């Protein structure tokens, strides 16, 4: 029936936005981990699909979103832009607060936006298997879903401590047909060395990355997929901000302040970069706030320098804010924010003064989550609650200044799999 057109994708942005096209000064390039020389992109061909590498290094402003990916997005996008009327009332603020709700995505977070694009690029090149690592399972479950959709099998090395303590997302990965194994395990050289000494070794993301990369290098039909940090991942997440821009424009509005939490930087970049770019091209200059946990403060407490993405030192050197590759973050509940580094593009914008970084303490984060849950009726992911803590602080500030400004933030996911964290 005409009225029930399945062309919902006609309402979606047709292109991803690449902020590198609008930067006067580019970030420093990645370096080869062995030689310390600028990396030749072809050296990455054994690891990533070539289509992904092309997007990673491009400075084109707009990238067309393939029809098959748009069709997959249309199942859950555009995600809602919600006016937080009850939260506004609760805070008694003149500020207008809007949130972009990525929790309606399959698996409940923004991560599937890049997972679908990466699985599509792999399938186009005949890649049979995508390999990755996961901590609590947000990224692993997103990639498992996307792989199933595009006919690419998925193998996930899951940090053993999470595998045993947080089985929820492991079950989701299995339901999507992915192979999930405890890391460190007996199937790789990197894993065996540790597994033989202690079969209960709790593991770490750094070890799981080492196992995943080794597996890819040994299997020519396999490639690696990463859920954050890289320029290409940030490019895919721009769909969040592009939709928000259109949704706000429909109300005749533009944001004054844009806020997101940062782990590797992808959901923050997703909601903010299209607006940063507008400002760089002569449009409205908004304020951008990246929010991180006080106990894992790469932007506010780290150094801007070259560092490895993993603890084993296998990955290329990235120029980013880092706490050092050997930094072991405390076991906070927002697992997705426990990363020693930061996306080079987010680091670059902070260094240029275009983005402000802020660290928030865990008690304030949980108080914010509770305020949001009891006013807006959505239990936020503990990661997203960091953004909410900053939103509440900004809204209170606006009240003091009696300023009617527009605050936009990214509610990157729901917290339904994090009930244990809330219980504690
Ligand atoms: C993984 C995750 C994050 C952190 O990752 P970024 O790359 O910084 O976005 C934030 N929120 C949720 C819900 C996540 O799953």
């Amino acid at each position: 029936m005409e009225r029930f057109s399945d062309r919902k994708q006609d309402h979606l942005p047709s292109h991803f936005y690449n902020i590198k096209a609008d930067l006067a000064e580019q970030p420093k390039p990645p370096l080869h981990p062995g030689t310390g020389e600028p990396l030749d992109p072809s050296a990455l061909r054994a690891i990533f699909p070539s289509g992904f590498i092309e997007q990673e290094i491009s400075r084109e402003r707009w990238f067309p979103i393939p029809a098959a990916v748009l069709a997959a997005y249309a199942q859950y996008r555009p995600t809602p832009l919600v006016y937080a009327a009850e939260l506004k009332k609760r805070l008694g603020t003149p500020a207008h607060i809007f949130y972009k709700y990525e929790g309606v995505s399959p698996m409940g977070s923004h991560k599937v936006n890049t997972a679908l694009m990466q699985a599509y690029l792999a399938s186009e090149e005949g890649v049979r298997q995508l390999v990755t690592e996961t901590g609590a399972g947000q990224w692993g479950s997103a990639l498992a879903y996307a792989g199933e959709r595009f006919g690419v099998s998925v193998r996930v090395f899951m940090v053993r401590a999470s595998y045993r303590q947080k089985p929820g997302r492991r079950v989701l990965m299995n339901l999507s047909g992915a192979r999930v194994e405890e890391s460190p395990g007996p199937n790789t050289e990197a894993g065996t060395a540790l597994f033989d000494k202690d079969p209960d070794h709790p593991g770490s993301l750094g070890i799981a990355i080492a196992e995943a990369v080794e597996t890819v290098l040994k299997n020519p039909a396999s490639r690696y997929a990463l859920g954050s940090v890289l320029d290409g991942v940030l490019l895919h997440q721009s769909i969040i901000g592009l939709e928000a821009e259109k949704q706000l424009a429909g109300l005749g509005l533009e944001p004054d302040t844009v806020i997101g939490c940062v782990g590797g930087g992808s959901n923050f970049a997703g909601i903010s970069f299209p607006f940063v770019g507008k400002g760089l091209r002569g449009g409205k200059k908004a304020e951008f706030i990246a929010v991180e946990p006080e106990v894992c403060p790469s932007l506010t407490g780290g150094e801007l320098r070259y560092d490895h993405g993993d603890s084993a030192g296998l990955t290329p050197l990235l120029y980013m804010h880092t706490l050092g590759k050997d930094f072991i973050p405390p076991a906070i509940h927002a697992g997705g924010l426990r990363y020693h580094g930061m996306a080079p593009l987010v680091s670059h914008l902070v260094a240029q003064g275009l983005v402000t970084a802020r660290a928030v303490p865990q008690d304030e984060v949980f108080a914010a989550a509770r305020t949001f849950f009891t006013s807006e009726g959505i239990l936020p992911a503990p990661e997203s609650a960091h953004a909410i803590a900053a939103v509440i602080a900004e809204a209170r500030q606006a009240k003091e200044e009696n300023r009617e400004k527009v605050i936009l933030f990214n509610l990157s996911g729901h917290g339904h799999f994090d009930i244990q964290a809330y219980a504690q």
Side-chain angles (χ1 to χ4, degrees), residues 109-111 138 227-229 261-268 336-337 381 383-384 412-413:
S109 87
H110 66 290
K111 288 197 174 73
Q138 285 105 323
S228 186
V229 179
C261 65
V262 284
S266 74
N267 88 85
F268 169 75
L337 305 185
E383 289 85 358
S384 320
S412 53

Side-chain angles (χ1 to χ4, degrees), residues 94 394-405:
E394 288 298 304
R396 292 205 164 117
Q397 177 83 24
K399 183 180 178 180
E400 269 168 39
E401 296 167 1
N402 197 18
R403 201 176 146 214
E404 199 181 322
K405 67 173 186 171

Side-chain angles (χ1 to χ4, degrees), residues 53-261:
I53 298 168
E54 195 188 306
Q55 299 193 332
E56 180 69 17
I57 61 177
S58 169
R59 291 193 197 166
E60 286 288 318
R61 181 174 287 121
W62 301 106
F63 259 95
I65 305 175
V69 176
L70 273 178
Y73 284 166
Q75 285 191 297
Y76 64 97
R77 309 204 70 88
T79 58
L81 178 79
V82 184
Y83 185 62
E86 286 304 315
L87 179 63
K88 175 185 163 78
K89 214 185 282 174
R90 177 82 62 91
L91 300 172
T93 177
H96 299 290
I97 306 168
F98 291 87
Y99 60 91
K100 186 74 172 145
Y101 186 38
E102 291 295 305
V104 299
S105 307
M107 311 301 130
S109 87
H110 66 290
K111 288 197 174 73
V112 77
N113 298 329
T114 186
L116 285 164
M117 190 60 203
Q118 292 191 50
Y120 167 81
L121 290 170
S123 74
E124 284 294 284
E125 289 170 30
V127 171
R128 298 245 177 77
Q129 174 180 254
L130 279 170
V131 186
T132 197
E133 72 289 329
T134 199
Q138 285 105 323
W139 169 239
S141 57
L143 190 68
Y145 167 83
E148 210 281 327
R149 175 148 185 137
F150 285 108
V152 180
S153 68
V154 170
R155 183 169 169 188
V156 183
F157 290 92
M158 186 168 186
V159 175
R160 177 171 287 104
S162 302
Y163 186 98
R164 295 189 178 174
Q165 286 158 21
K166 300 179 183 169
R169 290 198 185 84
R170 190 215 322 157
V171 175
L172 290 183
M173 289 185 261
N174 290 142
L175 284 173
S176 295
R179 170 174 168 190
V180 188
E181 50 209 284
E182 292 180 55
S183 166
N187 297 322
T188 65
E189 282 169 44
T192 306
L194 299 162
F195 179 77
D196 286 351
K197 258 184 257 160
D198 177 10
D200 294 317
H201 192 297
S204 73
L205 266 184
I207 298 166
I209 294 175
E211 288 202 275
V213 172
E214 181 189 322
T215 302
V216 165
L217 292 173
K218 282 184 180 157
N219 296 279
S222 292
R223 289 294 182 277
Y224 177 62
L226 197 62
S228 186
V229 179
L230 300 176
D231 299 0
V233 175
L234 274 49
L235 174 80
H236 304 156
Q237 295 297 356
S238 68
I239 191 163
I240 302 171
L242 293 169
E243 281 178 9
E245 185 185 354
K246 198 168 150 193
Q247 288 164 321
L248 280 172
L251 302 166
L253 296 173
E254 282 186 280
D256 297 297
T257 305
V258 182
I259 299 175
C261 65

